[in-house]
Amino acid sequence: GAVVSQHPSRVICKSGTSVKIECRSLDFQATTMFWYRQFPKQSLMLMATSNEGSKATYEQGVEKDKFLINHASLTLSTLTVTSAHPEDSSFYICSARDLGTFVYEQYFGPGTRLTVT
Amino acid sequence: RKEVEQDPGPFNVPEGATVAFNCTYSNSASQSFFWYRQDCRKEPKLLMSVYSSGNEDGRFTAQLNRASQYISLLIRDSKLSDSATYLCVADQTGKLIFGQGTTLQVKP
């Protein structure tokens, strides 16, 4: 149980284009999903908290107009990197919390490696 | 000061050794803690949850000291497959704060 998928696993795009990343909880429902970014040899940094049916909450320093988050259902959240630049190249990982449990564990998707050329 | 601090290592140990990692956190409001394991270029995978004073699962033991604000992870009889980066994580009302990770390399 508690499986989270992400698509695509790897994407290369040109500077100025937009990229959409999907995060799905496969066998549980999640009102809240989280989006992280990880640069090489650094830890995961929370970018935003995605809430089903409402606006995402962004961490300080994360541009909400650049990183668009949509959480349309209890099993799907999407992150769109708009007008991507080479400095946006990173490992983007989503996580979800299982509504059906009373614990606070988050389960991570396999990540999306974005390279902007 | 980072909210969650870990010694990045690397820790190089022989198979069968016992190794311990420490982690300190600065926000006393943190209620739950976790150890995640992350392999190179992969997502973190939950290793252990720590809600009270400690938790044990096979060769892995986690301990929490709220007074001193530190969490430890002990790995006994280490295996080659234990080689990975171990992330100490504090939960602050649903937001996970990650340490930078401690790298473990178990050698034959």
Side-chain angles (χ1 to χ4, degrees), chain A residues 1-111:
Chain A
V3 177
V4 177
S5 72
Q6 265 184 258
H7 178 79
S9 58
R10 183 184 293 269
V11 58
I12 300 173
C13 70
K14 292 188 176 179
S15 196
T17 61
S18 295
V19 174
K20 179 186 281 189
I21 303 169
E22 291 187 351
C23 176
R24 293 180 187 272
S25 55
L26 297 185
D27 51 359
F28 65 99
Q29 293 184 323
T31 53
T32 304
M33 292 184 174
F34 304 86
W35 287 97
Y36 296 83
R37 181 167 52 182
Q38 186 176 33
F39 292 107
K41 298 193 183 299
Q42 295 186 26
S43 193
L44 279 76
M45 294 298 294
L46 179 65
M47 298 175 65
T49 302
S50 168
N51 302 297
E52 186 265 338
S54 65
K55 290 182 179 180
T57 304
Y58 290 83
E59 294 300 300
Q60 192 172 11
V62 178
E63 300 174 57
K64 63 180 181 180
D65 295 329
K66 179 170 181 62
F67 299 99
L68 302 179
I69 291 172
N70 183 276
H71 194 152
S73 75
L74 287 173
T75 59
L76 173 64
S77 175
T78 61
L79 167 68
T80 302
V81 183
T82 63
S83 187
H85 290 133
E87 56 264 32
D88 297 325
S89 299
S90 187
F91 191 43
Y92 292 86
I93 313 176
C94 72
S95 73
R97 177 172 286 157
D98 188 344
L99 269 183
T101 68
F102 294 102
V103 295
Y104 298 97
E105 296 154 0
Q106 291 184 21
Y107 298 93
F108 286 83

Side-chain angles (χ1 to χ4, degrees), chain B:
Chain B
R1 184 185 172 190
K2 295 178 184 175
E3 291 192 68
V4 177
E5 291 204 65
Q6 295 180 252
D7 179 350
F11 284 61
N12 295 301
V13 303
E15 266 187 293
T18 296
V19 61
F21 307 138
N22 289 325
C23 165
T24 58
Y25 61 96
S26 60
N27 190 333
S28 59
S30 298
Q31 291 297 308
S32 306
F33 303 88
F34 308 94
W35 283 99
Y36 279 82
R37 171 197 169 125
Q38 186 174 29
D39 291 287
C40 188
R41 301 175 75 85
K42 300 283 189 181
E43 78 276 20
K45 291 192 183 295
L46 181 65
L47 181 65
M48 297 189 76
S49 305
V50 190
Y51 298 112
S52 57
S53 61
N55 193 6
E56 183 172 332
D57 183 4
R59 298 183 294 111
F60 300 86
T61 301
Q63 289 193 315
L64 168 63
N65 185 318
R66 290 190 187 273
S68 302
Q69 295 186 198
Y70 85 83
I71 314 113
S72 64
L73 177 68
L74 183 76
I75 305 176
R76 290 180 295 277
D77 188 23
S78 50
K79 313 288 185 192
L80 294 176
S81 57
D82 293 334
S83 299
T85 296
Y86 290 83
L87 304 171
C88 175
V89 185
D91 185 315
Q92 293 175 9
T93 57
K95 185 192 299 188
L96 294 188
I97 308 299
F98 283 80
Q100 70 175 106
T102 298
T103 299
L104 172 66
Q105 186 67 42
V106 181
K107 298 189 179 299

